[in-house]
């Protein structure tokens, strides 16, 4: 069955209005909407979803435990998004607390320590195994020297949906790790993207990871309403301002929300 034409028309109308470049995939149980879905884009912090997956895969392999203590030295504190850079008295955190901060406030210090702990190459091996061919983790976050050398973290909307489905299926992670990953993704504190038109206490939940850079605004998440799920990823580049990218993604999130809750929607028809 094809995805609801109303949702597809709303989404593509919004995309046609946007002045920048967009990679988008929305997958429902009734079909898929795709707009340059395999175009490689700057990932910003959405690549942290791959780091999270590899981290919990290593938990499942007993290479590390969620509550293992990770020490933080002065050299570990990284500027940019997050809170740890401003909390210099923090000397150690559990591995799971670092991963939680990496996702819910996109903490760069936590992210870089996670990469250091699990191995950058291991993240890329996982991406290869998932056939995420447009995704690569080439450097740590806020690594200006590597960025000047042309190293860039990249992904596509199609790859991010693949990662979201890997979180939500039984093939990659144990049931306990899947539960932990979804719990973290649902605690996202940066709510201006796909969450933007959804009240926090609404029955529709969104488990997501966003990211942004100058001119770049991204978000990817799993919408769920009464057992019905939608996987969505929207990556933008060349936005005239940060708000324009956020507003496009919030608009698309709003259309998904309305589609999920409409009684006549294919999502609610057996």
């Amino acid at each position: 069955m094809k995805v609801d034409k109303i949702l597809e028309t709303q989404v593509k109308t919004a995309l046609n209005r946007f002045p920048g470049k967009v990679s988008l995939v929305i997958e429902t149980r009734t079909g898929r909407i795709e707009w340059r879905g395999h175009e490689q884009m700057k990932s910003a912090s959405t690549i942290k979803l791959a780091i999270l997956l590899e981290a919990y895969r290593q938990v499942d392999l007993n290479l590390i435990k969620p509550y293992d203590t990770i020490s933080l030295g002065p050299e570990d504190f990284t500027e940019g998004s997050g809170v740890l850079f401003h909390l210099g008295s923090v000397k150690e955190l559990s591995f799971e607390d670092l991963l939680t901060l990496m996702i819910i406030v996109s903490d760069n210090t936590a992210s870089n320590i996670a990469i250091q702990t699990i191995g950058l190459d291991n993240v890329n091996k996982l991406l290869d195994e998932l056939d995420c061919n447009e995704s690569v983790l080439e450097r740590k976050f806020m690594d200006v020297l590597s960025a000047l050398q042309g190293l860039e973290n990249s992904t596509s909307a199609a790859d991010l949906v693949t990662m979201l489905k890997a979180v939500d299926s039984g093939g990659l992670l144990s049931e306990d790790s899947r539960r932990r990953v979804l719990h973290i993704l649902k605690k996202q504190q940066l709510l201006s993207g796909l969450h933007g038109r959804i009240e926090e206490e609404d029955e529709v939940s969104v488990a997501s990871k966003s990211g942004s850079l100058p001119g770049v605004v991204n978000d990817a998440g799993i919408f769920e309403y009464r057992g019905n799920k939608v996987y969505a990823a929207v990556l933008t580049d060349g936005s005239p301002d940060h708000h324009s990218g956020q507003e496009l993604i919030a608009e698309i999130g709003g259309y998904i929300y309305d589609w999920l809750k409409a009684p006549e929607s294919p999502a609610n028809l057996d």
Side-chain angles (χ1 to χ4, degrees):
M1 184 187 299
K2 188 171 174 56
V3 70
D4 194 329
K5 196 68 179 176
I6 294 175
L7 175 61
E8 185 173 20
T9 299
Q10 289 173 323
V11 168
K12 290 188 174 179
T13 298
L15 294 176
N16 277 315
R17 290 198 308 266
F18 187 69
K21 185 167 66 172
V22 182
S23 175
L24 171 143
V25 170
I26 299 170
E27 187 170 313
T28 77
R29 70 173 186 168
T30 61
R32 183 177 173 103
I33 301 167
E34 189 160 340
W35 180 283
R36 299 180 181 131
H38 288 278
E39 184 153 346
Q40 190 174 54
M41 308 273 280
K42 292 179 180 178
S43 68
S45 287
T46 58
I47 198 69
K48 293 171 183 176
L49 179 58
I51 300 169
L52 186 67
L53 284 171
E54 175 57 23
Y56 277 96
R57 185 165 74 158
Q58 293 192 20
V59 168
D60 286 340
L61 293 170
N62 291 317
L63 298 175
I64 191 166
K65 298 187 186 306
Y67 299 113
D68 281 353
T69 298
I70 308 293
S71 297
L72 284 71
E75 70 281 0
D76 292 322
F77 289 85
T78 306
E79 294 187 71
S81 59
V83 297
L84 284 176
F85 180 75
H86 307 288
L87 305 175
S89 65
V90 177
K91 303 301 181 186
E92 60 182 31
L93 284 168
S94 74
F95 185 52
E96 189 160 67
D97 283 349
L98 283 167
L99 297 176
T100 300
L101 287 170
M102 175 180 75
I103 298 299
I104 70 172
V105 293
S106 209
D107 194 286
N108 284 335
T109 296
S111 303
N112 286 348
I113 295 172
I115 293 170
Q116 186 174 304
T117 302
I118 65 176
L120 184 147
D121 289 343
N122 290 326
V123 177
N124 287 320
K125 287 177 185 175
L126 172 63
L127 290 168
D128 287 342
E129 290 175 24
L130 292 173
D131 291 325
C132 291
N133 300 315
E134 293 88 43
S135 299
V136 61
L137 179 66
E138 289 196 325
R139 60 174 175 82
K140 291 182 177 181
F141 298 93
M142 299 302 291
D143 184 346
V144 177
L145 181 59
S146 293
L148 289 173
Q149 293 172 344
L151 298 178
E152 188 57 77
N153 300 328
S154 304
T155 192
S156 67
D159 282 359
L160 285 170
V161 165
T162 295
M163 291 180 228
L164 291 170
K165 291 172 71 177
V167 171
D168 210 31
S169 72
L172 181 68
L173 300 177
S174 68
E175 182 62 31
D176 183 62
S177 287
R178 286 174 56 220
R179 179 185 58 78
R180 289 174 183 270
V181 168
L182 284 168
H183 177 76
I184 292 171
L185 292 172
K186 286 179 180 179
K187 297 301 181 182
Q188 167 87 259
Q189 300 294 299
L190 308 173
L191 304 177
S192 57
L194 290 171
H195 298 75
R197 298 187 180 180
I198 303 174
E199 296 294 333
E200 285 190 51
E201 299 303 318
D202 198 280
E203 196 176 349
V204 174
S205 69
V206 185
S208 69
K209 182 70 199 85
S210 62
S212 64
L213 292 166
V216 172
V217 185
N218 302 333
D219 206 354
I222 305 167
F223 290 72
E224 184 171 5
Y225 175 65
R226 297 182 179 179
N228 294 312
K229 294 180 181 179
V230 176
Y231 305 91
V234 190
L235 306 173
T236 72
D237 199 353
S239 177
D241 54 69
H242 193 75
H243 175 75
S244 298
Q246 285 184 332
E247 182 56 30
L248 172 70
I249 296 173
E251 182 179 359
I252 290 168
Y255 293 142
I256 295 170
Y257 170 85
D258 291 340
W259 181 81
L260 271 171
K261 295 201 78 171
E264 70 278 9
S265 167
N268 297 312
L269 300 176
D270 294 326

